[in-house]
Amino acid sequence: MNIILSILILGIIILIHELGHFLFAKWGGIGVVEFSLGMGPRLLSFEKGGTRYSVKAFPFGGSCAMLGEDEEAEDERAFGNKSVWARIAVVAGGPLFNFILAFCLAMIMVGATGSYDIPRVQAVQAGLPAEQAGIQAGDVIIKVNGRSIHSFRDFTTYTLTHPGKELNLTWKRTLEDGTARTYKAVVTPVSAENGRKMIGVEFAYGIRQPANLFETAKQAVYEVQFWIRYVFDSFYMMFHGAVSVDDISGPVGIVSTIDQSVSEASAAGGKKAVVLTLINFGILLSANLGVMNLLPFPALDGGRLFFLIIEALRKKPIDREKEAMIHTAGMVFLLALMVIILFNDMRKLF
């Protein structure tokens, strides 16, 4: 059952992505040949408004096939015959809907848990860099190396993914008279007994509750922002040799991780813990898919947006054949990478 739920989560996230493309295509007057729920052979289908709506055999994702998307077409409803801004909206619609889904799930999670964490220091370890910099219990860290901090996870994730990096910290302290004062210092982490780099602070957990719907929405935005930053922090680790291709998980690895996490949540906290675990994975994966598809790499939405933005700036389309060749090369690379990741996922399982 956990594996089925995991596959359904991945499928829904991909389907929402395709729904974004679909709705913006319809809005822009672009002909949609088929919009499908699932993959593989059709089980059910009907046609309405020039579009075939299908339910397919495998409940994994979906697709939005547009008229003239990959070839020349004379029909005025063809993708390539619409304005560059209409095409930009269609291509960007998929990632946009992933971010919207992540936000909606984050709203549910923040509302269900009824609390959120702020980066308030609970204790400072004696003799370590934080104490030497003047940080005290009760202080709230608000920036690290220019990045705004909204939760203790923002801080701990940054230090985990940038081990040993010098930290330009900004923190806020509420004085006895009720006024707030801001402090700044440069802090260099030191090695702990477990080999990790640390500055010697401990954070308080779950100490605030959203006061209203606006506060809940704001915390939901911060939650989505956290996972978007996590993607780029992971890239930082890859480029600095801290993460290899073997550490990257594909669909099989993701399903396995969700299965294990759901089983642990079920044993520890029952149905509510399972639901919140699935929602948390939904936020992570939806934000991740949105970011990855916006990367300016051939064959991804970001690669297509790159060429469309160039077309908008030069007021002249890129040669379609050359662009197609570049996207084809990118697709070949991505497929090869997917095979490697799938092999690693299977190797880890068995």
Side-chain angles (χ1 to χ4, degrees):
M1 180 58 69
N2 292 346
I3 292 175
I4 292 173
L5 288 173
S6 304
I7 293 173
L8 285 175
I9 287 173
L10 287 173
I12 290 171
I13 291 170
I14 296 171
L15 179 64
I16 293 297
H17 179 93
E18 297 299 329
L19 181 63
H21 292 314
F22 171 79
L23 292 178
F24 275 94
K26 285 290 189 179
W27 174 71
I30 296 171
V32 178
V33 178
E34 182 179 28
F35 181 77
S36 63
L37 172 63
M39 306 292 285
R42 294 190 186 103
L43 296 179
L44 299 170
S45 72
F46 67 92
E47 190 170 334
K48 184 178 180 181
T51 300
R52 178 169 293 280
Y53 298 88
S54 305
V55 176
K56 297 189 175 181
F58 305 109
F60 184 85
S63 63
C64 175
M66 289 175 283
L67 181 66
E69 182 179 5
D70 297 314
E71 71 284 327
E72 296 287 345
E74 295 182 0
D75 195 313
E76 63 177 9
R77 298 179 300 121
F79 178 82
N81 294 334
K82 292 298 181 179
S83 71
V84 65
W85 296 110
R87 284 177 281 145
I88 286 175
V90 171
V91 175
L96 174 63
F97 266 50
N98 281 130
F99 294 132
I100 292 174
L101 174 61
F103 170 76
C104 292
L105 292 175
M107 282 281 288
I108 294 172
M109 190 175 72
V110 174
T113 55
S115 64
Y116 60 94
D117 299 303
I118 61 173
R120 186 184 301 279
V121 177
Q122 186 175 42
V124 180
Q125 298 181 30
L128 291 182
E131 184 191 52
Q132 296 168 1
I135 298 175
Q136 300 177 7
D139 291 348
V140 176
I141 297 177
I142 56 176
K143 282 189 179 182
V144 54
N145 288 350
R147 175 188 289 191
S148 296
I149 299 297
H150 305 291
S151 72
F152 72 89
R153 289 185 308 161
D154 287 336
F155 181 81
T156 54
T157 301
Y158 183 88
T159 56
L160 180 66
T161 55
H162 299 74
K165 187 172 183 178
E166 188 176 77
L167 306 176
N168 191 339
L169 299 180
T170 303
W171 66 93
K172 185 172 61 176
R173 179 180 302 159
T174 302
L175 305 178
E176 292 182 359
D177 60 3
T179 60
R181 185 175 178 183
T182 300
Y183 299 84
K184 294 183 179 182
V186 176
V187 179
T188 302
V190 296
S191 296
E193 294 180 358
N194 59 8
R196 291 180 58 181
K197 299 289 186 177
M198 59 185 298
I199 66 170
V201 293
E202 297 176 9
F203 291 99
Y205 297 89
I207 57 177
R208 281 195 177 183
Q209 292 186 339
N212 48 47
L213 184 61
F214 175 78
E215 185 70 28
T216 300
K218 185 172 72 172
Q219 294 305 319
V221 170
Y222 292 155
E223 181 71 19
V224 176
Q225 182 189 64
F226 168 80
W227 289 115
I228 291 174
R229 285 174 169 177
Y230 187 82
V231 176
F232 289 105
D233 287 339
S234 299
F235 281 132
Y236 177 89
M237 294 180 72
M238 288 181 62
F239 294 143
H240 288 79
V243 174
S244 66
V245 175
D246 289 343
D247 298 314
I248 302 174
S249 292
V252 174
I254 292 171
V255 169
S256 177
T257 301
I258 296 176
D259 176 35
Q260 182 180 351
S261 299
V262 168
S263 297
E264 292 173 355
S266 178
K271 292 182 179 179
K272 182 177 180 180
V274 169
V275 171
L276 290 177
T277 298
L278 291 173
I279 290 175
N280 192 56
F281 270 108
I283 300 168
L284 183 161
L285 295 173
S286 193
N288 188 295
L289 183 61
V291 171
M292 295 298 290
N293 266 281
L294 285 177
L295 295 178
F297 190 86
L300 296 177
D301 289 336
R304 296 181 184 276
L305 283 173
F306 176 77
F307 283 103
L308 288 171
I309 291 171
I310 290 178
E311 178 181 338
L313 292 175
R314 68 198 293 258
K315 302 185 185 303
K316 180 181 178 183
I318 305 295
D319 184 273
R320 294 286 174 83
E321 292 186 3
K322 293 180 180 178
E323 181 181 346
M325 289 176 59
I326 294 173
H327 288 311
T328 300
M331 181 61 71
V332 171
F333 175 83
L334 290 175
L335 289 174
L337 182 60
M338 288 176 64
V339 170
I340 294 172
I341 292 174
L342 178 61
F343 174 79
N344 287 333
D345 284 346
M346 300 302 292
R347 180 170 55 82
K348 292 172 187 175
L349 286 176
F350 302 105

